[in-house]
Amino acid sequence: MKATLSISGKTKIFGCISDPIEHVRAPSVFNPLFEKHGVDAVMVPLHISSKNLDNVVSGLKAMPNFGGMAITLPHKLPIMELCDQIGKQGQLVGAVNFAAFDDNRRLIGDNCDGTGFVNGMLAAGYSVANKRVLMIGSGGAARAIAFSLADSGVAELSITNRTIVKADELVNSVYKAYPDILVNSVDPDPRGYDIVLNTTSLGLKREDPLPINPEALERHQLVAEIIMNPEDTPILLAAKSRGCKIHYGRPMFDHQVAIIASLFGYDFNI
Ligand code: ATR
């Protein structure tokens, strides 16, 4: 964390906006990175209620030393109306989780969840282009990842979810945006895919059941996770014991941070 005494008149300010605010993690992630990379910047938590979002963003826009913000609930959707420009992923997902002011004080927002996942896979040496992917789950993270996988040219994106109608809806959204990709709603059977990806919350708790039958995992497959804690979730442990390659949840987070830092104007190599 940047020592308070080293904040000067030249220090650039970033925010993390949320309501409630106490749980946010971005300041604890970005401040040590600013410090580590010798960047004269600080990120502060900004507790903003929905009814005041408009006013606060106008105020921040008027502050030339305010660079941008990480965005959490409940502001991920409503802030879109206040952005002057929204990146491709933000538009497709329909939510933005970071935004920065450009040199003309225009607010540029985007969503880094899906790109963070794909960049993490690529950095680990796993390609996604032309792969057959089974994605388990259809929540917020899954939505972002689905568009990014489609954008990266997967051969097939099959989606399975406890609530089937949500998988169907996601399939339709992806198909509309990427009509050339084979995308379908399927049963939770991993056989035949190159990549099996868990985006559900199953695995956060030790006693959680597996989202698929581990006996059906095949040795040639890559099994990926987006949960960071625990590192070895039940599906990854099952995949390891079946001899599959695995990809942890942490790289997605690290690459999200790098993407946000890049919009803030900093190159934090991962
Ligand atoms: P996030 O924003 O982290 O993606 P989310 O939007 O709440 O979180 O999505 C959670 C995902 O985990 C959903 O796909 C959810 O399935 P439903 O759409 O059926 O709710 C899935 N999930 C959560 N608990 C589950 C459980 N006990 N069994 C199967 N799937 C579960």
Side-chain angles (χ1 to χ4, degrees), residues 137-142 161-163 166 199-202 226:
S138 300
N161 193 46
R162 174 180 62 179
T163 310
K166 283 172 64 182
T199 70
T200 74
S201 44
L202 291 177
I226 67 168

Side-chain angles (χ1 to χ4, degrees), residues 16 21-30 43 72 228 253:
C16 172
I21 196 73
E22 291 80 5
H23 68 289
V24 296
R25 289 186 306 166
S28 322
V29 172
F30 277 90
M43 181 181 279
T72 64
M228 277 200 307
F253 176 79

Side-chain angles (χ1 to χ4, degrees), residues 4 25 31 34 95 103 105 125 129 149-150 178 184 186 195 254 262:
T4 317
R25 289 186 306 166
N31 288 317
F34 291 147
D103 292 342
R105 302 307 290 165
L149 287 173
Y178 295 90
N184 43 33
V186 297
I195 300 171
D254 290 338
S262 168

Side-chain angles (χ1 to χ4, degrees), residues 116-219:
F117 174 76
V118 169
N119 287 0
M121 288 274 284
L122 297 178
Y126 299 122
S127 68
V128 292
N130 303 314
K131 300 292 185 201
R132 297 185 66 209
V133 182
L134 173 67
M135 187 174 77
I136 312 158
S138 300
R143 184 174 171 79
I145 291 170
F147 287 117
S148 289
L149 287 173
D151 198 58
S152 305
V154 290
E156 176 182 341
L157 176 61
S158 294
I159 303 175
T160 186
N161 193 46
R162 174 180 62 179
T163 310
I164 293 169
V165 67
K166 283 172 64 182
D168 293 345
E169 279 167 15
L170 184 52
V171 164
N172 285 336
S173 305
V174 175
Y175 178 70
K176 267 189 211 148
Y178 295 90
D180 295 336
I181 303 273
L182 177 58
V183 48
N184 43 33
S185 175
V186 297
D187 291 331
D189 180 353
R191 284 174 295 185
Y193 294 95
D194 301 309
I195 300 171
V196 177
L197 162 64
N198 178 40
T199 70
T200 74
S201 44
L202 291 177
L204 279 172
K205 287 181 271 165
R206 187 183 290 267
E207 66 274 18
D208 280 343
L210 284 164
I212 47 156
N213 172 11
E215 304 290 310
L217 286 171
E218 297 164 348
R219 201 181 155 74

